[in-house]
């Protein structure tokens, strides 16, 4: 029972990251109808920025989060403005897909050239502390990160619900032409949307540095999970993405506990295929 | 009429000269196995890119799971050879048939999904296959399988020199090219292109999208399996990493850069990308690993941003193509058109 609870807790904590990644992917997918295949690489970029800030400037990883968010927002906006928006005009799904794939390859290998393929870690005074909560034990950084994730999610939800740019984003995701007619700057909204999506990936990366190894390929796994979260949680739904992320985290830890650690990826991908094919009616209606 | 036939003859001569050059090439490069290796790489990457292009470029179904088909082909043929000691040629046949079968069975339900959702399901399929192999004792788990070494023999598709592999890869490429050219101008090809442009319209004029899409994926996966067999025999070692999603992407890039709507696209893109990438890796790989892929990505981004139809799409719309046509055919396409009208 104890082990089971512990697995649930770990699943919950890692699920939080999938949620946040998924929300970023979801908002991009919802507004521009493109899959952002470099989402995992953006997480990796966020991790390396945090690492660089910590190592060279001595900025605490948690204090570095807002900085990472701003930098990643600018990066995302620039990518959208220079590359993606002009290509949106061609309306070729293949090209948009491989544009983001190309960006992913570019970032991955830039990280490889700049930081080499060595595994990096960040160790702070509190990174080894643990918290006991009833029968389960947790690392303190994981707990802090989880709360930070919840704060960011709630902030994002409120931003989309109540702020003017948030309302514009929702309007554009429903009908770009209609939004343009009522005077919304659609191109600017695209820039903001992609910036936010990338910033969310960067924030998850920054928070992840506390208990995960940093290396150029780290994003691949998380990027795939973010895509799963989008499909399982539902398009354009922030609470859905949150629930799906947690579900994915639990599925992963519980299957590695019950079936075996090496089978966890297999279980995740098979579940995903089954959900995709079984829910196709719903997906078709959405798309 | 005779004049037109004569002009065609000149185009065919140019093509034959190109093929003859490729056939004669190893003779001049005997002392340089590295260059031959690069050519082999170009040949088999272009072949699998063409296979992807049938499904992705021609039918518009962007698969990112082709590394899994290649891996399946490699694993089925290798397991057959290693476990039963049979002939690799039987293994090749088995790999092609079984991979085609698996592709048909798995992708049949997935083809109802469209656009991004289809791409997602192919990624999940590729990863699931890889995870299966990683967990399967019989297939050597994550350790992979090494093929036995031995003396040169065509019967066991095993050679010490790279030159026979060069010819095998060239043959594979030429065969696939001819098949694609044939499909491009057949009923199947037109049906696939209609599905790419608009699936609902295709269905309304009596083309069954599901049937044709399954046909496309079966042919595509069979070619990928053949390339997998070649890869395994050439490298004499396989492991589950060869099914990684990153490789699926690498198969696609030549097609995108060359022009996904054209049969020759993957060929042009393959020659360009792989020769540049190999040159850079050879030159800077020791100092800056990853530099070749950075350039690879930049070429891709620039092509998509400024020439969305790829190199061939750009070429066909440019003045250069008229000049080349004039040189090859002795006259412009317009003149030929008016000639035909007379």
């Amino acid at each position: 029972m104890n082990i089971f609870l512990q697995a649930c807790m770990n699943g919950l904590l890692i699920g939080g990251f999938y949620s946040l990644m998924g929300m970023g992917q979801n908002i991009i997918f919802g507004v521009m109808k493109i899959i952002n295949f470099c989402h995992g690489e953006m997480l990796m970029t966020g991790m390396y920025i945090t690492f660089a800030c910590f190592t060279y400037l001595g900025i605490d990883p948690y204090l570095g989060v807002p900085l990472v968010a701003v930098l990643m927002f600018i990066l995302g906006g620039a990518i959208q403005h220079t590359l993606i928006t002009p290509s949106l005009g061609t309306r070729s799904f293949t090209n948009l897909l491989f544009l983001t794939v190309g960006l992913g390859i570019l970032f991955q290998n830039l990280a490889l050239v700049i930081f080499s393929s060595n595994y990096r870690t960040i160790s702070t005074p509190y990174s080894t502390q643990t918290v006991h909560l009833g029968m389960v034990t947790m690392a303190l950084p994981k707990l802090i990160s989880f709360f930070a994730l919840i704060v960011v999610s709630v902030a994002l939800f409120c931003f989309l619900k109540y702020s003017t740019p948030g309302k514009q984003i929702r309007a554009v995701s429903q009908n770009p032409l209609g939004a343009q007619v009522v005077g919304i700057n659609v191109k600017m909204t695209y820039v903001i949307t992609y910036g936010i999506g990338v910033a969310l990936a960067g924030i998850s990366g920054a928070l992840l540095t506390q208990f995960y190894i940093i290396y150029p390929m780290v994003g691949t796994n998380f990027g795939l999970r973010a895509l799963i979260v989008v499909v399982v949680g539902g398009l354009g739904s922030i609470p859905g993405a949150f629930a799906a992320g947690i579900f994915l985290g639990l599925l992963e830890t519980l299957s590695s506990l019950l079936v075996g650690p090496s089978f966890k990826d297999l279980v995740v991908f098979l579940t995903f295929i089954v959900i995709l094919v079984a829910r196709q009616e719903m997906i078709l209606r959405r798309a | 009429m005779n004049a037109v036939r004569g002009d065609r003859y000149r185009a065919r001569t140019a093509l034959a000269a190109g093929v003859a050059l490729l056939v004669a090439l190893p003779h001049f490069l005997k002392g340089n196995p590295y260059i031959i290796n690069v050519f082999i790489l170009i040949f088999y990457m272009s072949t699998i890119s063409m296979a992807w292009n049938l499904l992705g470029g021609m039918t518009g179904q962007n698969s990112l799971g082709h590394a899994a088909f290649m891996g399946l082909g490699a694993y089925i043929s290798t397991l057959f050879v290693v476990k039963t000691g049979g002939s690799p040629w039987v293994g090749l046949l088995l790999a092609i048939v079984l991979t085609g079968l698996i592709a048909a069975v798995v992708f049949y339900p997935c083809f109802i999904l469209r656009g991004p959702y289809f791409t997602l399901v192919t990624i999940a399929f590729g990863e699931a296959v890889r995870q299966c192999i990683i967990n399967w004792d019989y297939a050597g788990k994550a350790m992979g399988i090494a093929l036995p070494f031995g003396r040169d023999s065509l019967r066991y598709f095993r050679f010490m020199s790279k030159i026979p592999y060069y010819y095998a890869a060239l043959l594979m490429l030429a065969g696939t090219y001819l098949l694609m050219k044939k499909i491009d101008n057949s009923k199947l090809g037109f049906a696939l292109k209609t599905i790419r442009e608009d699936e609902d319209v295709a269905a309304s004029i009596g083309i069954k999208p599901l049937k044709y899409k399954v046909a496309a994926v079966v042919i595509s996966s069979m070619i990928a399996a053949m390339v997998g067999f070649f890869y395994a025999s050439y490298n004499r070692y396989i492991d589950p990493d060869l099914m990684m999603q990153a490789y699926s992407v690498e198969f696609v890039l030549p097609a995108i850069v060359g022009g996904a709507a054209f049969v020759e696209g993957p060929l042009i893109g393959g020659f360009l990308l792989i020769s540049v990438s190999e040159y850079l890796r050879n030159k800077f790989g020791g100092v800056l690993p990853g530099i070749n892929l950075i350039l690879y990505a930049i070429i891709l981004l620039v092509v998509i941003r400024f020439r969305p139809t790829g190199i061939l799409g750009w070429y066909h719309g440019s003045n250069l193509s008229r000049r080349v046509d004039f040189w090859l055919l002795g006259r412009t396409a317009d003149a030929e058109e008016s000639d035909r009208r007379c």
Side-chain angles (χ1 to χ4, degrees):
Chain A
M1 198 56 205
N2 203 349
I3 259 183
F4 182 76
L5 275 179
Q6 184 72 48
C8 283
M9 202 63 211
N10 288 342
L12 199 67
L13 293 178
I14 197 76
F17 286 95
Y18 298 152
S19 296
L20 201 65
M21 294 279 295
M23 280 177 217
Q25 181 74 261
N26 205 343
I27 181 171
I28 293 172
F29 196 16
V31 171
M32 279 164 285
K33 308 286 179 283
I34 59 172
I35 306 180
N36 186 29
F37 262 103
C38 55
H39 215 68
E41 278 66 38
M42 294 301 163
L43 170 119
M44 182 269 302
T45 312
M47 288 178 96
Y48 270 113
I49 293 177
T50 315
F51 171 76
C53 284
F54 179 75
T55 320
Y56 302 117
L57 304 174
I59 300 174
D60 184 271
Y62 287 114
L63 295 180
V65 168
L67 180 71
V68 170
V70 171
L71 284 178
M72 296 300 286
F73 182 83
I74 295 170
L75 176 71
I79 290 174
Q80 172 72 34
H81 188 72
T82 53
L83 289 170
I84 301 177
T85 308
S87 295
L88 275 173
T90 60
R91 279 278 142 227
S92 162
F93 166 67
T94 311
N95 277 354
L96 284 170
L97 179 70
F98 290 106
L99 191 68
T100 55
V101 169
L103 280 170
I105 300 176
L106 185 65
F107 277 97
Q108 210 169 63
N109 290 287
L110 277 176
L112 187 66
V113 166
I114 299 171
F115 293 101
S116 87
S117 60
N118 292 345
Y119 288 171
R120 316 278 188 160
T121 50
I122 293 181
S123 55
T124 47
Y126 48 83
S127 58
T128 47
Q129 286 176 18
T130 52
V131 177
H132 297 275
L133 200 88
M135 281 184 288
V136 293
T137 312
M138 276 167 300
L140 180 65
K142 278 194 186 182
L143 207 59
I144 302 177
S145 301
F146 191 71
F147 281 115
L149 294 171
I150 290 179
V151 169
V152 172
S153 317
V154 171
L156 178 70
F157 185 74
C158 293
F159 169 78
L160 286 177
K161 194 100 186 163
Y162 303 112
S163 77
T164 313
K167 284 175 185 166
Q168 288 179 345
I169 289 175
R170 282 191 291 144
V172 173
S173 84
Q174 280 171 11
N175 189 343
L177 192 66
Q180 198 148 27
V181 167
V182 297
I184 293 171
N185 186 345
V186 174
K187 280 191 180 166
M188 198 59 211
T189 312
Y190 282 163
V191 169
I192 294 174
T193 310
Y194 199 78
I196 290 175
V198 167
L200 289 175
I203 293 171
S204 2
L207 295 171
L208 198 61
T209 49
Q210 283 293 295
F211 50 91
Y212 217 86
I213 315 159
I214 311 166
Y215 58 103
M217 299 285 282
V218 68
T220 324
N221 223 358
F222 282 89
L224 278 178
R225 300 289 199 279
L227 291 172
I228 299 178
V229 166
V230 172
V231 173
V232 176
L235 190 62
S237 158
I238 298 296
F242 194 81
I246 302 291
F247 163 73
L248 192 60
L250 288 176
L251 180 72
E252 214 170 81
T253 45
L254 291 183
S255 62
S256 72
L257 178 70
L258 301 175
V259 192
S262 61
F263 286 97
K264 94 181 172 193
D265 284 334
L266 186 60
V267 171
V268 166
F269 287 110
L270 287 181
T271 315
F272 178 52
I273 295 179
V274 169
I275 290 179
L276 250 181
V277 175
R279 284 184 51 183
Q280 47 182 272
E281 287 297 313
M282 221 178 126
I283 288 166
L284 286 182
R285 220 177 300 131
R286 263 197 260 136
Chain B
M1 195 63 203
N2 267 335
V4 173
R5 203 171 281 163
D7 296 335
R8 285 277 150 75
Y9 184 72
R10 203 193 292 189
R12 292 242 168 100
T13 314
L15 192 69
V19 172
L21 186 70
L22 284 178
V23 170
L25 203 65
H27 182 70
F28 303 112
L29 294 171
K30 270 211 173 93
N32 201 340
Y34 172 71
I35 302 287
I36 293 186
N37 179 49
V38 172
F39 270 99
I40 293 173
L41 193 66
I42 291 175
F43 291 161
Y44 80 73
M45 287 295 273
S46 302
T47 308
I48 196 157
S49 192
M50 264 184 206
W52 176 86
N53 203 27
L54 177 68
L55 193 63
M58 214 185 272
T59 323
Q61 309 295 314
N62 293 290
S63 155
L64 276 178
H66 266 62
F69 292 138
M70 179 176 157
L72 278 174
Y75 263 94
I76 293 169
S77 60
T78 305
L79 281 175
F80 178 77
V81 170
V82 172
K83 303 288 176 183
T84 69
S87 157
W89 299 104
V90 182
L92 170 65
L93 201 70
L94 207 66
I96 289 178
V97 171
L98 279 179
T99 309
L101 216 68
I102 292 171
V105 170
V106 174
F107 277 49
Y108 184 77
C110 300
F111 269 130
I112 298 167
L113 298 165
R114 287 187 190 181
Y117 295 104
F118 176 75
T119 309
L120 289 179
V121 92
T122 58
I123 295 175
F125 161 74
E127 273 298 310
V129 172
R130 190 166 81 94
Q131 296 296 336
C132 282
I133 300 282
I134 287 180
N135 287 306
W136 195 20
D137 274 325
Y138 188 71
K141 285 200 159 178
M143 294 273 289
I145 315 173
L147 274 78
F149 277 97
R151 277 184 294 126
D152 279 16
S153 76
L154 185 63
R155 209 174 136 229
Y156 288 102
F157 201 63
R158 193 162 59 193
F159 309 100
M160 288 295 144
S161 141
K162 285 186 188 298
I163 292 172
Y165 289 114
Y166 175 95
Y167 285 119
L170 185 62
L171 196 70
M172 204 162 68
L173 177 68
T176 308
Y177 175 73
L178 291 178
L179 179 70
M180 290 300 147
K181 209 69 191 156
K182 191 99 185 149
I183 290 175
D184 194 41
N185 274 317
S186 70
K187 192 183 159 208
L188 175 65
F190 288 115
L192 295 180
K193 279 180 253 179
T194 316
I195 292 169
R196 175 186 67 197
E197 296 307 327
D198 196 321
E199 219 178 302
D200 298 319
V201 168
S204 71
I205 58 171
I207 296 168
K208 290 195 180 68
L210 201 57
K211 184 178 117 186
Y212 283 102
K213 282 199 264 187
V214 170
V217 80
V218 167
I219 297 172
S220 187
S221 66
M222 281 174 162
I223 297 169
M226 179 175 73
V227 175
F229 164 78
F230 176 82
Y231 177 92
S233 326
Y234 179 53
N235 287 308
R236 310 221 68 81
Y237 168 71
I238 51 171
D239 65 1
D241 273 1
L242 101 115
M243 301 190 191
M244 291 229 282
Q245 199 219 329
Y247 291 110
S248 291
V249 171
E250 275 187 41
F251 301 150
V252 179
L253 299 190
I256 299 285
V257 169
F262 305 91
V263 175
E264 292 86 356
L267 204 59
I268 308 272
F271 266 89
L272 175 81
L273 279 180
I274 291 159
S275 49
V276 169
S277 154
E278 279 301 306
Y279 173 77
L280 282 173
R281 198 171 67 163
N282 193 20
K283 197 111 179 155
F284 304 104
V287 201
L288 292 170
I291 192 85
N292 55 333
L293 289 171
I294 289 181
L295 197 92
Y296 213 78
I298 291 176
I299 294 178
L300 178 76
L301 293 179
V302 167
V303 167
I304 292 180
R305 171 68 181 80
F306 296 105
R307 297 280 175 262
T309 47
I311 293 171
L312 273 182
W314 166 56
Y315 166 77
H316 280 292
S318 71
N319 254 334
L320 187 68
S321 75
R322 285 169 182 276
R323 236 176 276 161
V324 172
D325 279 350
F326 188 79
W327 179 77
L328 280 179
L329 301 168
R331 55 178 68 201
T332 58
D334 299 336
E336 194 186 315
E337 186 63 28
S338 67
D339 202 63
R340 202 176 292 149
R341 239 178 260 136
C342 287

